[in-house]
Amino acid sequence: MAQLFDRIALIGIGLIGSSIAREIRDKQLSGHVTISTRSAETLKRAEALSLGDSYVLSPAEAVAGADLVIVSVPVGASAAVAQAIAPHLKAGAIVTDVGSTKGSVIAQMAPHLPETVHFIPGHPIAGTEYSGPDAGFIGLFKGRWCILTPLPGTDEAAKAQLRAFWESLGSNVEEMDPDHHDKVLAIVSHLPHIIAYNIVGTADDLETVTESEVIKYSASGFRDFTRLAASDPTMWRDVCLHNKDAILEMLARFSEDLAYLQRAIRWGDGEKLFDLFTRTRAIRRSIIQAGQDTDQADFGRHALDGKG
Ligand code: NAP
């Protein structure tokens, strides 16, 4: 594949950053990749995995001369990273991120970044419940959506270049208003994770059913929630804190609908239950038809399953 950028700087080299690094290396999308991460330990691991061409702890040093800067850290760390890299960015560089929330990332980063760079926030809708540089793999973004949330007036050529980058990783790219992104992701990603964390926590707190029973009989449904509930605690703490309004709005709707379901069960209203369960089954079929999952019986447990 053709080289898209002379120099790329990757700030953060966990699941997402290292998957991007592996793709760049595999497809030779850049002449030089500099990797920066917070800890010396992770940096050493990235080097051992040969994920880039040079390795530095300082994000400021990493971005010097880079044409594309990709920030892949927990969303709560966005302001500090933007502040650290801002004075060292090359004029004309594209600065993007992969954070799961967009309004908050823009509010944290935009005020620090110079007008000489193109800041184009992004979010690949792909991931797993694993973290760190060893967790990344080639193919993570293939057939998945990557949402860009550019600010008004963003340079069209820079947008096209970033779009081409994600497309070369196999993603389908869509543009969205940041607020809308945060609402959509609240229902498709953030709420399911919160529900999973909650149900697994509830099971853990039960006194009448033992932990060994929960684990022993987990294949009856519980197991599918535990995959989501095993996701990175730092990442998900930050998502909850940084998409607060949209999540609270969706949680309110969810609680209302749960009360409706509770009532139907209490009053033995089988018709209501049957209607809802029929409607929801059709959604699952649409997801499979859209190529966002397979109908294999091991749903949720195969390595290439995407979420985010
Ligand atoms: P990860 O595997 O846990 O890696 C996190 C990276 O950020 C590591 O390089 C880590 O450095 C660094 N980091 C952690 N805390 C930091 C801090 N306070 N300041 C600066 N750097 C810090 O995380 P990930 O899954 O790749 O997620 C990265 C971003 O992608 C998040 O914003 C997340 O919302 C988004 N995202 C995740 C998924 C998913 O499913 N995981 C999907 C789509 C988008 P050290 O290891 O050196 O400490």
Side-chain angles (χ1 to χ4, degrees):
M1 217 172 263
Q3 187 175 306
L4 294 178
F5 294 92
D6 286 343
R7 292 181 81 92
I8 297 181
L10 300 177
I11 313 297
I13 196 74
L15 168 73
I16 302 296
S18 78
S19 294
I20 294 172
R22 285 174 170 91
E23 296 283 359
I24 296 170
R25 185 181 61 188
D26 182 59
K27 298 174 175 59
Q28 299 177 6
L29 300 176
S30 178
H32 188 100
V33 175
T34 305
I35 289 172
S36 168
T37 186
R38 182 180 55 166
S39 71
E41 198 188 342
T42 304
L43 195 65
K44 214 169 128 200
R45 191 62 200 139
E47 192 166 2
L49 293 166
S50 302
L51 293 176
D53 301 297
S54 55
Y55 306 84
V56 289
L57 278 175
S58 150
E61 212 179 306
V63 301
D67 307 290
L68 173 67
V69 175
I70 307 179
V71 178
S72 311
V73 302
V75 290
S78 308
V81 169
Q83 210 167 359
I85 63 174
H88 309 276
L89 291 165
K90 178 178 164 182
I94 295 174
V95 178
T96 189
D97 77 304
V98 299
S100 306
T101 68
K102 296 278 50 94
S104 153
V105 166
I106 292 170
Q108 291 181 71
M109 293 187 72
H112 298 291
L113 299 177
E115 279 181 11
T116 50
V117 304
H118 306 290
F119 175 43
I120 311 175
H123 178 202
I125 313 298
T128 72
E129 63 275 34
Y130 301 107
S131 321
D134 286 281
F137 57 92
I138 288 175
L140 176 64
F141 308 109
K142 192 158 185 255
R144 301 285 174 232
W145 288 94
C146 178
I147 301 176
L148 302 181
T149 61
L151 304 171
T154 299
D155 184 67
E156 290 298 326
K159 263 196 305 196
Q161 242 186 313
L162 186 59
R163 179 182 274 269
F165 175 80
W166 280 107
E167 284 172 352
S168 69
L169 270 50
S171 292
N172 305 309
V173 179
E174 191 146 88
E175 277 184 37
M176 214 181 260
D177 169 76
D179 283 349
H180 190 64
H181 165 279
D182 288 354
K183 279 210 173 86
V184 172
L185 268 293
I187 188 66
V188 299
S189 170
H190 307 168
L191 204 61
H193 280 81
I194 291 166
I195 292 166
Y197 282 122
N198 191 56
I199 193 170
V200 175
T202 302
D204 192 41
D205 289 342
L206 286 178
E207 283 113 31
T208 48
V209 180
T210 65
E211 194 178 310
S212 69
E213 283 172 314
V214 168
I215 291 165
K216 187 167 158 190
Y217 303 120
S218 63
S220 53
F222 184 71
R223 185 176 64 179
D224 288 342
F225 285 103
T226 60
R227 184 178 69 85
L228 293 183
S231 299
D232 189 68
T234 306
M235 168 183 160
W236 284 97
R237 175 203 61 197
D238 280 12
V239 168
C240 289
L241 298 179
H242 289 269
N243 196 21
K244 183 174 158 181
D245 293 345
I247 289 175
L248 288 177
E249 187 184 324
M250 293 305 166
L251 267 175
R253 284 290 298 266
F254 174 80
S255 305
E256 255 177 52
D257 293 344
L258 191 63
Y260 172 89
L261 200 56
Q262 204 172 355
R263 240 182 116 71
I265 295 169
R266 183 182 309 285
W267 296 104
D269 193 339
E271 205 177 321
K272 271 201 181 116
L273 297 174
F274 189 84
D275 284 352
L276 175 67
F277 301 164
T278 306
R279 195 151 54 88
T280 56
R281 189 177 229 193
I283 302 263
R284 170 85 188 136
R285 268 190 235 116
S286 313
I287 290 171
I288 292 165
Q289 274 163 14
Q292 293 302 304
D293 205 352
T294 64
D295 57 1
Q296 285 165 19
D298 70 338
F299 165 56
R301 289 177 291 282
H302 44 96
L304 295 185
D305 185 31
K307 71 180 182 75

